[in-house]
Structure formats: C-alpha cells, structure tokens
Amino acid sequence: MKRSLRRRLLAGIIGGILLLLAVFSLLVYVVIRGALLRQFDESLASVAQVLAASVELDGNDVELEFEARQMPEFQDVERPTRYQFWDANGAVVAKSPLSSTQELRRPETTLKNLVFQTSRDESGQPQRSVGLKFAPRIADSDETQQGRQKDEELFTLVVARDASDLHSQLGLLRWLLVNASAAVVILSLIFAAVVVRQGLHPLNSIAAEIAAISEENLATRIASENVPAEVIPIKNRLNELLCRLEASFKKERRFNADIAHELRTPLAGIRSTIEVALARNRDPVEYRQALEDCLEIAGSMQAVVGNLLMLTRLEARQISLETDRIRLAGFIDSAWQPFSDKAMDRNITFDNRIEPDVTFESDRANLGTVLSNVLCNAVEYVDDSGRIWVTARSADDSIEIAVSNTGCHLTSEQVSQVFDCFWRVDSSRSDTGAHCGLGLALVQRLVGALGGRAAAVTEPGGIFSIRLILPASP
Amino acid sequence: MRLLLVEDYRPLNQSLTKGLNEAGFAVDSTRDGKEGLWYAMSNEYDVIILDIMLPGMDGLEILKKIRSRGKKSHVLILTAKDTLEDRVAGLDLGADDYLVKPFAFEELVARVRALLRRSYGEKNPCVRVRDLKIDLNTKRVWRGREEITLTPREYALLEYLAMRAGQTISRTDIWEHIYEFRSSASSNVVDVYIGYLRRKLDRSNKPDLIRTVRGLGYRLGAGS
C-alpha cells in the first residue's frame, strides 16, 4: 500500500463527515419542506373551505357572500390569492378580482377530495393551488346539498396562492444547509489534519530514531517513551530486529577478525622468513630452505582461503550436488590414503570396520571433503600410538558413519564448540597453520547440504567420535 | 643481549630466531607456553618476545606469572590480535611493548633495541664511554676517530659492558646475557672474549677501557 496513511485517514474522516452531512441535510430539508407545505396547504384548504361555504345557490343564480370576497388574502396584489368557480357543466361561475387575466386550470377531482398542485402564474411566479368539488348551499336553507349529491350539481373550486415566499424559504433552507455543510467539512478537514498529524507523530519520532541508527551504533534501541499502545508492538518488533541485526553483525565482525587473525600469522611467517633471508648474503641452500618454507605457508594459507570460500558458498547455497552410488568401505580407504604416512610416523593404528557391501547414495566430491576433514581432525588430535577407527550403521532411510579416535581430553563444553568456525582445542595452531579450526565447521555445513547432520560425542576412555548421519538416498 | 622468543608458529619461530641471532642477540626460543614460562623463570632475559595464543599456556598467563614473581625482563607482545582491548589487556598485565603480526623484522629489532636501552636507562642510541663511541643501531664502534671492527660476539660483549658502564659485572652475569641457553660455552669464554676486545680497543697512548676487578668481574670506563 503506497498511499500515505495521513491521506487515507483524512479521506476516510472527510468522506464519512460528507456522507453524514448529506444524509442529515437531506432529511432536515425534506422534513422542513413537508412541514412548510403542509402548513401552506392547510391555510389554502381552509380558505377554499370558507369560499366553498360562502357559495349560495339561489335558484339558478350563484351568489358569493361578501365577507368571503373581502378576505385580506384576495386583496393582496403582491402575493395574490385567486379563486375560480366552475359549475357542474364546467362553466366559470365566478373568479377572484385579481385573476382577471389568468384562467386557473380546472382540476379533476371528486367530492370532498382536495387536489393540491404547484404551477406557475402568467408572470412566472410559483403558485400553489387547491381544487375541490362541493355542493353549494341552497339559499334560505342552512343545509348544504349533502343529502342529494349528484355529480351534475357539484361545483368545482380552485384556490391558488402565490408560493414565492414558500419557495424562497425553501431556497434559504437549501442555501443554509449546503453552506453549513461546506463550512463543517472545511473546518473538520483542518481539525482532522491536526489530529491525524498529532496521532501519527509517534511514527515520525520512531522513524527519526531508526534513521539515526547506523552500522556503528546497532546497540542502541528505539526508546520512544509514551508511544501509543498500537505502536508498541511495532517498536518492540523493531527492537527485536535490531537485536538480531546486532548479533549477526557482531558474529560477522568476529568472523572477519578471526579470518584476519588466521591470515596474519602465516603472513607474518612469510614476511619474516623473507626478510631474514634477505638480511645478508647466504648460500643457495639457505635461500632454498626459505623459499620452501614460504611455499609451505602459502599452501596452508591457500587451504584456509579455500575452506573459507567453500563455507561462504555453502552459506549462500551455491554448491551443486551430483548423486552417485557410493561403496563406503572403499571410499573411506581412499579418503584415508593422504593421512596414512603421517599416521605411520606417529605409530597410529587405523581400522576401517565397515562391511564391504555397505552402499548408499550421496555426492561423491562433497562427501570426500567431509571425510577428509574428519579424518584429518582425527589424525591431528589422536594421541601418539593411538587408534582411529571408522564404523557405519544402516537404518531404513539413513546411514550413520562414525569416525572415532583415542586420546581426547575435551570437556563437554569444548565438545559443543568443535563445529564453531576458528575454534581450536587450545586456541593455538599446529605447525604451519593448516588446521585453523575451519575443518569441522565445514564438515557440519557440508553434511547439512547433503541432507544429513553431524554430531560430536566423547566416550569414557578418551574416545572422541564425529558421527555423520546421512540420508541413504537424497 | 639475551632474548627469549615464545612463538608457536614454526616458520615464524624459526625465522625470528635466526634473524635475531644474526642481529647479535643470544636467543632462546620455544613453541610451547609452559616451556616458555620455565625459560623465563629460570634465566635472566633482557627482552622476552611473547605470542599470546600458545599451546600449553596462554601468553598473557605467562606474562602474569613472570610479573607476579618479580621478573624484571622487558616483555614485547607479538600477536595477530590487534583490537584495542587486546592491546590494553596486554599492556595492563605488564607488557612493555606490543607488535601486531604481520610486522617488519626490522621494526621488531628496533623495538627490541629500544627496550634494551630502556632497561639500561640509556635513551641515546649512541653510547659514549670516554673516547669510545658505540652506535647501538648500526652496531659500529669508534675509539676517537678510528673505527674498530668487531665480530658479533665481541660487539655483543662490548654493548653489554657499555650499557652498564661504570658498574662491575660478574663473569656469570656477562655469560648469561651474551650466550643462549643451549650454548655449550662456559663462563670461561668470557675471559677469552674480554682478551680479544682489549686487543682491539686498547691503544698504547690511551688509558685502558676495560678493567679487571679481581674476584668480581669486569668494568668498562669510569670509576676507580
């Protein structure tokens, strides 16, 4: 959602207010208009009733009582009220003095039924009229012709009154409602803008705090006191995120420091070997010795860099696996080959106890690296004249390979650290730095990439084992 | 001057031992922490060059132990750890200098020389005893205007005497500071070398520089 929160809140608030105002204004208008019309109509109807009552039928003559004609409504020229009578045949019997020029329309109506109409007079002014049929009174009789109502004897009366006052009142009402609504909308827009800005202020202050956090001060946390309840979870999650970020930065810095350390020592070796060799003229044997030393150091540095590269690739999941059927016993024998001379020198016994028919599927190259590292570690830390042996146990869908050696003095805490990068038993290195504490870290990650897991265990009698639990087929 | 080098990384240990030897120091070296402590406790070293990460015993632990037992040797820490905390920790435990790997061999030697001057209260790298002048940096020696050529061993002997000019120094003392632990030489060789030195330094028209203090040892320069 890209739209700004402030705009959305404002639009919501203003839209709601607008809708409510519209409905409310409409309601008010309809009710007031109805009331005004009803009032107008009632007054018109009463005039009509009076007029109707003032008509007297004397034989064939129609007489209108004087009082009725003299009513003030009929005298007002500005806001004239007009009337017109028709007899049953539709002939105009009488009309008001002011309606000389205009004929009122005779409505279709029935006895006692009032028909209201809005129309315009000849000058275009709005007028409202009421039409009714009535039976005129018979002269010298107080009765109307109630008893003998016949259509042909019913008169029709229309009373029309100028309605411009009513219309202008309604116009004023409309103007008031529209303008009041507009004013309310504008005021609430201003008010809402302030409220929304105040409401969103904690977000801005948190944003400012986050903006102030850089790589160097990841230890700071978002403090923002008095943040609203809704923002607290965001603040807490952000702080947790910062925690994780800080930890991973710390880990990376440590890792980089470790790398630097691992590379600095051999570099110091190369440098001082060369500098000392160059300090004076020497015979070729000494130069050769210095060069061989440097070459050896370079080789071990290359191994460190290679391991680091592999670790990085593993972390980025950039290794490709090719599954192959592996005959384990033979595979172990060939992995042991590079170490056999060194083991012989130290009188170490190697025992491959894997049955010749054990096979499983895995990636040959990577499994080779794993075994080579595990065996290298065993040869490095086995006691002189000690033993190294390899066993395997097959389960339904997995195989467990264990490489064990004697002469282990690790505490259980140290065992839990053997897979950490750059960890070594006494934080010290061997002859040329070939074992810089990356081997088992690499083993653990590689076995993970092969779909299995690695574990380190110690057993009584100074026995140390690395167990590789691998899927029988990936 | 006698140095102890405790550094477990074989190529560095070998080349430093060789280089320091060639620079005229008597060097004992070991790659093990515990052995390093034994050396430091059982001999009088002018300077101990100490790595921190060591098998057997941590370098800082060694430093703590030798200081707690009152050893006055100057200690130069040599390590790949270069964080501020590491340096402060080392110096606070009583180290006199700190050098981060990798380093220039020449700088190491210069720092060792500076520590040596400090241990003998000599700030000037050019030591004068009467008309004898010794440039500690270039290891050249003059008597008056005449330059005198010495073998490294002769120079080492003269330098030690010059550093403690005016004091009487016993044969054993001299021997301890000029010869490394593994040397087969006995303190009698000191007399032999003093003889060589005298032959090269003394001039018939000038007073003798090295005097024999009967039953006690030798003394260079001033003092009756």
Side-chain angles (χ1 to χ4, degrees):
Chain A
M1 192 65 73
K2 268 188 177 176
R3 286 169 58 194
S4 113
L5 193 57
R6 177 187 299 183
R7 274 195 211 142
R8 286 177 62 199
L9 283 172
L10 279 179
I13 292 170
I14 299 306
I17 288 178
L18 214 56
L19 184 71
L20 283 176
L21 278 175
V23 170
F24 177 75
S25 304
L26 209 62
L27 206 67
V28 166
Y29 180 73
V30 166
V31 168
I32 293 181
R33 182 177 176 273
L36 286 174
L37 267 182
R38 199 159 51 243
Q39 202 182 5
F40 192 89
D41 287 353
E42 270 168 16
S43 135
L44 206 58
S46 71
V47 172
Q49 298 287 2
V50 170
L51 273 177
S54 71
V55 173
E56 208 175 55
L57 204 61
D58 187 10
N60 284 330
D61 291 335
V62 178
E63 279 182 22
L64 208 57
E65 279 178 8
F66 174 75
E67 293 78 17
R69 271 186 297 181
Q70 296 305 314
M71 279 168 78
E73 286 93 333
F74 303 129
Q75 310 304 324
D76 188 347
V77 183
E78 287 289 304
R79 299 265 180 270
T81 303
R82 292 176 294 220
Y83 59 86
Q84 197 164 348
F85 287 97
W86 292 268
D87 65 10
N89 302 321
V92 176
V93 179
K95 61 200 281 200
S96 65
L98 289 169
S99 106
S100 51
T101 55
Q102 194 204 9
E103 286 291 316
L104 292 172
R105 215 160 55 82
R106 182 176 178 229
E108 289 302 320
T109 179
T110 53
L111 183 73
K112 300 280 181 191
N113 188 20
L114 299 172
V115 177
F116 294 97
Q117 275 180 336
T118 301
S119 60
R120 295 198 172 268
D121 66 7
E122 69 277 15
S123 58
Q125 292 296 318
Q127 65 177 13
R128 192 155 170 90
S129 60
V130 60
L132 75 159
K133 274 195 174 170
F134 67 97
R137 210 153 36 94
I138 307 298
D140 303 326
S141 158
D142 284 339
E143 300 167 25
T144 59
Q145 292 181 320
Q146 297 263 308
R148 34 189 185 89
Q149 297 152 347
K150 288 179 186 162
D151 269 358
E152 60 271 22
E153 287 163 8
L154 291 180
F155 276 41
T156 301
L157 165 65
V158 167
V159 179
R161 180 181 284 172
D162 185 289
S164 20
D165 279 351
L166 178 68
H167 278 254
S168 64
Q169 276 171 353
L170 287 177
L172 178 67
L173 181 64
R174 280 198 299 272
W175 184 88
L176 267 178
L177 285 173
V178 168
N179 284 290
S181 300
V184 166
V185 167
I186 289 165
L187 285 176
S188 51
L189 191 66
I190 294 165
F191 187 67
V194 172
V195 169
V196 166
R197 177 178 301 177
Q198 290 292 325
L200 294 180
H201 179 70
L203 291 183
N204 292 335
S205 69
I206 286 184
E209 281 195 52
I210 295 173
I213 296 175
S214 69
E215 203 180 307
E216 280 73 38
N217 56 358
L218 279 175
T220 49
R221 296 284 173 271
I222 300 166
S224 279
E225 303 289 326
N226 308 324
V227 292
E230 292 83 354
V231 182
I232 288 175
I234 297 176
K235 181 186 127 181
N236 292 344
R237 294 300 96 74
L238 278 172
N239 278 340
E240 284 165 20
L241 181 69
L242 277 174
C243 261
R244 290 199 295 274
L245 213 63
E246 190 195 355
S248 96
F249 262 79
K250 221 179 241 171
K251 196 176 143 194
E252 197 186 303
R253 261 200 287 269
R254 209 197 124 87
F255 189 74
N256 288 340
D258 284 342
I259 292 174
H261 179 254
E262 289 311 325
L263 296 180
R264 263 184 183 147
T265 302
L267 213 53
I270 289 181
R271 186 163 181 177
S272 70
T273 303
I274 294 173
E275 280 177 340
V276 169
L278 289 177
R280 59 179 64 184
N281 284 327
R282 299 178 188 282
D283 59 52
V285 180
E286 280 185 273
Y287 284 129
R288 173 174 281 277
Q289 183 58 48
L291 287 175
E292 279 172 359
D293 284 350
C294 288
L295 188 63
E296 193 187 344
I297 302 170
S300 63
M301 284 177 90
Q302 194 178 337
V304 172
V305 171
N307 278 354
L308 281 173
L309 201 62
M310 187 129 190
L311 275 173
T312 316
R313 285 199 184 129
L314 278 170
E315 265 177 27
R317 305 189 186 287
Q318 283 176 343
I319 61 158
S320 55
L321 299 175
E322 283 173 35
T323 309
D324 211 354
R325 183 141 287 276
I326 292 169
R327 220 166 247 290
L328 191 56
F331 197 68
I332 297 277
D333 278 337
S334 53
W336 173 253
Q337 210 53 48
F339 307 107
S340 56
D341 283 350
K342 191 175 176 184
M344 204 105 77
D345 292 346
R346 289 175 55 202
N347 201 18
I348 295 162
T349 319
F350 177 71
D351 188 7
N352 182 353
R353 298 182 189 169
I354 296 166
E355 298 294 323
D357 59 342
V358 177
T359 62
F360 71 111
E361 285 183 0
S362 193
D363 180 273
R364 197 171 276 274
N366 287 308
L367 187 67
T369 310
V370 167
L371 287 172
S372 163
N373 273 295
V374 173
L375 289 171
C376 178
N377 184 73
V379 173
E380 191 63 29
Y381 294 106
V382 69
D383 48 344
D384 285 343
S385 310
R387 290 179 298 127
I388 298 173
W389 65 99
V390 186
T391 56
R393 200 167 54 192
S394 287
D396 294 343
D397 52 357
S398 70
I399 181 161
E400 184 184 309
I401 306 166
V403 178
S404 310
N405 63 271
T406 54
C408 167
H409 308 291
L410 297 182
T411 64
S412 57
E413 195 205 336
Q414 286 174 322
V415 169
S416 68
Q417 289 176 301
V418 297
F419 292 115
D420 292 353
C421 283
F422 299 115
W423 186 85
R424 274 183 300 246
V425 181
D426 52 10
S427 299
S428 171
R429 66 203 74 76
S430 68
D431 267 18
T432 55
H435 306 279
C436 67
L438 284 175
L440 290 185
L442 191 62
V443 164
Q444 192 189 40
R445 286 161 180 75
L446 262 178
V447 170
L450 292 173
R453 62 190 173 85
V457 283
T458 49
E459 286 162 47
I463 295 168
F464 177 79
S465 302
I466 294 283
R467 290 185 185 158
L468 312 168
I469 299 107
L470 290 159
S473 62
Chain B
M1 298 295 158
R2 192 166 172 191
L3 312 181
L4 172 64
L5 171 69
V6 191
E7 163 62 60
D8 68 324
Y9 186 52
R10 186 179 53 76
L12 196 55
N13 186 301
Q14 280 177 352
S15 62
L16 289 184
T17 308
K18 187 175 178 183
L20 289 168
N21 257 323
E22 288 173 359
F25 299 106
V27 183
D28 289 330
S29 76
T30 172
R31 289 171 54 200
D32 181 84
K34 281 183 186 145
E35 206 174 293
L37 179 66
W38 181 84
Y39 270 111
M41 300 310 285
S42 36
N43 298 284
E44 287 300 326
Y45 291 101
D46 293 300
V47 175
I48 298 173
I49 301 170
L50 196 58
D51 185 18
I52 289 186
M53 282 162 90
L54 290 167
M57 186 183 275
D58 187 50
L60 294 178
E61 195 65 29
I62 296 176
L63 180 56
K64 217 187 288 179
K65 286 224 159 78
I66 62 176
R67 286 293 183 242
S68 70
R69 303 217 190 137
K71 285 280 176 188
K72 298 275 186 263
S73 306
H74 279 58
V75 173
L76 186 149
I77 287 181
L78 199 62
T79 176
K81 288 184 165 184
D82 72 332
T83 62
L84 185 65
E85 299 91 74
D86 289 323
R87 273 181 277 186
V88 169
L91 293 174
D92 278 353
L93 280 174
D96 298 276
D97 204 354
Y98 202 103
L99 196 56
V100 175
K101 296 175 193 172
F103 51 87
F105 180 71
E106 260 182 65
E107 187 183 353
L108 176 70
V109 175
R111 280 174 189 264
V112 168
R113 276 203 300 262
L115 287 178
L116 285 173
R117 285 203 302 276
R118 221 196 295 173
S119 54
Y120 293 103
E122 182 63 66
K123 287 225 167 71
N124 190 348
C126 218
V127 179
R128 282 170 193 279
V129 182
R130 297 209 182 141
D131 61 344
L132 179 75
K133 192 175 98 177
I134 304 168
D135 187 329
L136 299 177
N137 292 343
T138 57
K139 298 189 186 298
R140 288 166 73 185
V141 179
W142 293 267
R143 179 130 202 219
R145 292 180 174 216
E146 184 192 353
E147 180 164 359
I148 295 160
T149 317
L150 299 177
T151 66
R153 191 74 80 189
E154 288 163 359
Y155 174 80
L157 174 58
L158 178 62
E159 187 186 75
Y160 185 63
L161 291 172
M163 287 288 198
R164 301 180 65 180
Q167 300 173 25
T168 306
I169 312 160
S170 72
R171 275 185 192 80
T172 335
D173 207 349
I174 295 174
W175 181 76
E176 279 224 327
H177 281 89
I178 307 299
Y179 285 91
E180 53 266 21
F181 183 76
R182 288 191 187 85
S183 165
S184 54
S186 74
S187 59
N188 289 334
V189 299
V190 173
D191 299 327
V192 177
Y193 273 98
I194 290 281
Y196 292 162
L197 256 189
R198 276 184 172 145
R199 234 172 287 160
K200 288 193 176 178
L201 294 177
D202 289 350
R203 294 288 176 273
S204 51
N205 55 344
K206 292 178 179 174
D208 288 354
L209 281 170
I210 304 170
R211 290 186 184 183
T212 310
V213 183
R214 205 160 293 281
L216 291 175
Y218 298 99
R219 185 174 63 214
L220 180 73
S224 53

